[in-house]
Every structure is written in structure tokens, then in C-alpha cells.
Amino acid sequence: DYCLSIAPPGVKSFSLTSRGSDGQISPGRTQGPDGKQLFLVDGPHSAPTQHMTEYEHVLVAGAGIGLTPVAACVQSVVFHRWKFTVGKSYPSHANFAWVVSHRDVEAYRWFVSRLKEVQDCVINMKVKSKEAMRGKSFNFHIYVTSVPKDLTEEKAYKSLTEEEKDDTFWGIPAPESQVDMERANFSKADLYKALLFPSKESKTLGDIHVHHGRPNWDIRFEEMLKMYRNENVGVMFCGNPYIAADLKKMCAKHSSQEAKGTKFILHKENF
């Protein structure tokens, strides 16, 4: 609108549309009335998650705001790739991990809602498209760190009110959530409460696993090592450099030295 308001009579800015990884089309303008670019991105600015589609088996992890690319990937896989791909997908076996500080959980309420919608979609496809989902697997691990030692249920749930029944409390729902479908046997509130008051013992809701404290990456890598023998596993991470360093060590530690053994290949971005 700004471009149109300052343009000479009859002159319009150049318009483009873009399609995201979730298949959604959005309009956008890249040039002003004078034909010059409104902004310039000087690269390269590579994203680790762009490598996700190179692997059949992946671990996509993020910490804090690094959830953004993780959220984009999980929606791309479940809402788009698995939904519209017949046979083997890249990835077919999708593992996700998110490390979040307890003090920041409320800020990510929108993702709690979206993750529940993703789980519903996975459940629905498992029920209605059994053959197509036979060779696919989905797991999402959430690690809630810096949990106050004196935290009680009463303190943890103080932000929960009747508002949680209102969609505006959770953010704008995905279009996929509006259709008649099979759903997971837990609610958005159940998942949110698991993050607000994480128990010492890990809690599992469908394919989503909530853990108290920092990740034990050895456990995750040993699980994948057993499941994906003699395969290349893509590991993508966005976030804290200390976690990136841990993942680099894990990839080296658990990768086979044999030519045909399992290899964990790390793609990372630190900030």
C-alpha cells in the first residue's frame, strides 16, 4: 500500500507471489515504483534445514527461537510431503527435537496448538492411509530446561484460565485442523500443561515426548542407530552453539567407521 501511495499516477509496483514449503501461496512486492529493489539480501545465507529433503532419515533440532525452522519442517513433512507423496518420502522417518527454557514456554503457545494439529494429521493418516504410512515414522521430543526447583502445579498452571477454550488463546489454527478427521487422544491443554509442569519422568502423548531438563543426546542417537542401520541420517540444528557442539560430538561418536555403516551427517546454524 505504501508503494502504491507514493507511485506516480498509473504506475504500480512489481508484484510477485511465493509458495512456501507448506504449499501456501503468499503475495509480495520486491520492487518500488522506481523499479528499484525495496530490499537486498546479500548471501550466502544457507539454512541447515534446507538439507532435510536429501535424507530418508532425519533428526531436525532447534533451541529457543530455533524452533522456527523446526516448525516449518514438521509442517512441511506432515501437511505436505507425507500427505501428497506416494511411496518413499524424503524424509520418511522424521525425528524432531526442541530445547526450550521453562520461562519461555508461554511465548510458544502457538506452537503447542500447531504441534497438536500435526499429531492429529499423523494419526489420521495412520488410520485412513495405513499402506502409505507403513514405511513412515514420526517422533517429536521436547526438552524443558531451567525448571524452577520450587515449582508446583498451582504455580505452573496459574496462566491457564477459561481463555484456553478460546482459539485466540492458541493462535490461528491450521487449515488442516478444520476438517473431519481422526485425532490424537489428548488435547492442546494436556500438552501445554506437560510443558508448564514437566515431570521428572518423561511424559509421552502420542508421538510427542516431553522431558524435564537438558537432552541426553546419547539416548536419541542410540535409538536411531538401532532403527537406521547402514543408513545416512541427516542431523539439522538451529540454535545455541553449545548444543551444536554437543551434536557434532554425537555425530562423530555414533557414526560407523565402516564404509557401509550408519553415518550421522550434521548441518548446523549457530546464533
Side-chain angles (χ1 to χ4, degrees), residues 86-244:
V86 177
K88 185 180 292 187
S89 299
Y90 288 86
S92 289
H93 302 281
N95 302 279
F96 297 90
W98 176 38
V99 184
V100 59
S101 173
H102 183 268
R103 66 176 179 272
D104 297 329
V105 167
E106 289 186 37
Y108 294 104
R109 215 161 45 202
W110 63 271
F111 183 68
V112 171
S113 174
R114 189 52 48 91
L115 187 54
K116 170 59 165 63
E117 292 162 355
V118 166
Q119 178 69 92
D120 288 342
C121 192
V122 171
I123 294 294
N124 188 63
M125 288 189 288
K126 284 181 178 180
V127 172
K128 297 182 179 179
S129 305
K130 292 182 180 179
E131 196 59 38
M133 290 296 289
R134 196 177 301 280
K136 296 180 175 65
S137 62
F138 171 79
N139 278 288
F140 202 109
H141 293 269
I142 303 174
Y143 299 90
V144 185
T145 63
S146 303
V147 180
K149 293 181 179 179
D150 61 346
L151 185 68
T152 63
E153 281 191 77
E154 184 179 357
K155 289 181 180 179
Y157 298 157
K158 66 180 180 180
S159 64
L160 287 175
T161 65
E162 286 297 310
E163 291 179 353
E164 72 185 64
K165 298 176 182 178
D166 187 347
D167 281 342
T168 58
F169 179 83
W170 301 107
I172 300 172
E176 288 79 6
S177 69
Q178 307 301 308
V179 300
D180 184 25
M181 62 192 299
E182 299 291 333
R183 299 184 186 275
N185 61 355
F186 63 90
S187 67
K188 296 175 185 178
D190 291 333
L191 179 55
Y192 189 43
K193 287 178 179 179
L195 300 184
L196 289 174
F197 190 63
S199 59
K200 294 292 184 179
E201 296 295 324
S202 297
K203 184 168 186 175
T204 296
L205 298 168
D207 298 310
I208 303 168
H209 314 275
V210 180
H211 309 277
H212 183 292
R214 296 177 180 178
N216 184 333
W217 293 117
D218 269 315
I219 293 177
R220 298 283 80 80
F221 276 76
E222 287 168 4
E223 287 175 348
M224 292 187 289
L225 195 59
K226 292 177 181 178
M227 293 188 292
Y228 314 137
R229 292 192 178 278
N230 302 322
E231 299 282 357
N232 286 339
V233 181
V235 179
M236 296 94 201
F237 175 73
C238 295
N240 188 300
Y242 296 104
I243 298 177

Side-chain angles (χ1 to χ4, degrees), residues 26-62:
S26 58
R29 296 189 178 98
T30 62
Q31 294 181 344
D34 58 359
K36 294 181 180 180
Q37 288 184 313
L38 295 174
F39 59 88
L40 174 66
V41 178
D42 185 16
H45 296 277
S46 61
T49 51
Q50 72 184 20
H51 298 283
M52 181 182 70
T53 57
E54 298 171 11
Y55 301 92
E56 189 182 356
H57 313 82
V58 300
L59 168 62
V60 181

